[in-house]
Amino acid sequence: MRLRKLIAAAGVATTVAGLGLVNAGQASAFGADCAGNTHAVCLYYNDSAHGYGAYFMQTGDIPDYTGYTFRAGLNGTAGAGVAVKGHAAAVDNWYGGTFIFYFSNNYNCSVACQAIAPWSRVDLNTSLKNTNASGRFN
């Protein structure tokens, strides 16, 4: 009887460990620079076709990206030290909600804005690529 319980427990432990490895593989394949931070987005200097390059991690609403700069990360150094305002090309959303990226300061969507779905990495649309000014968590 004890042997059956021990075998059953070992089977459950193996299944749980296997599920953990599958989830870890999916997360590590998803992105790198903001990985594991559940209230962050990474803004990237380049789009996917150009290897993303340097990044900026955003963990709170920013009404004006003036004064913020990209830094070298796991996707390279291209764009490191460059101002975030007007130079982002891709967004990696690690936040469990929608992140909204704006063309204008102070979350003004009158010109253009783009909603980034939870847990997704996207290239910015042509209205926002390299013309960004603010971003906030929704």
Side-chain angles (χ1 to χ4, degrees):
M1 189 70 157
R2 279 185 172 166
L3 183 58
R4 268 191 208 163
K5 286 183 180 180
L6 182 61
I7 291 171
V12 168
T14 302
T15 301
V16 168
L19 288 173
L21 290 174
V22 168
N23 289 337
Q26 289 171 343
S28 64
F30 177 79
D33 296 306
C34 290
N37 191 330
T38 58
H39 193 78
V41 296
C42 272
L43 310 180
Y44 287 96
Y45 178 74
N46 283 324
D47 58 20
S48 60
H50 296 96
Y52 298 109
Y55 78 101
F56 170 74
M57 184 188 311
Q58 182 172 337
T59 58
D61 297 347
I62 299 178
D64 184 350
Y65 287 125
T66 298
Y68 296 95
T69 57
F70 289 102
R71 67 182 197 190
L74 297 171
N75 291 304
T77 59
V82 173
V84 172
K85 187 171 185 171
H87 294 102
V91 178
D92 188 2
N93 185 359
W94 283 88
Y95 171 56
T98 302
F99 179 78
I100 304 176
F101 206 61
Y102 298 86
F103 176 90
S104 301
N105 288 342
N106 300 312
Y107 322 116
N108 184 341
C109 195
S110 64
V111 176
C113 57
Q114 182 176 350
I116 313 299
W119 316 115
S120 64
R121 179 185 275 185
V122 299
D123 291 340
L124 293 171
N125 64 41
T126 57
S127 298
L128 290 167
K129 183 178 177 184
N130 298 323
T131 58
N132 59 295
S134 61
R136 73 173 167 188
F137 296 87
N138 194 16

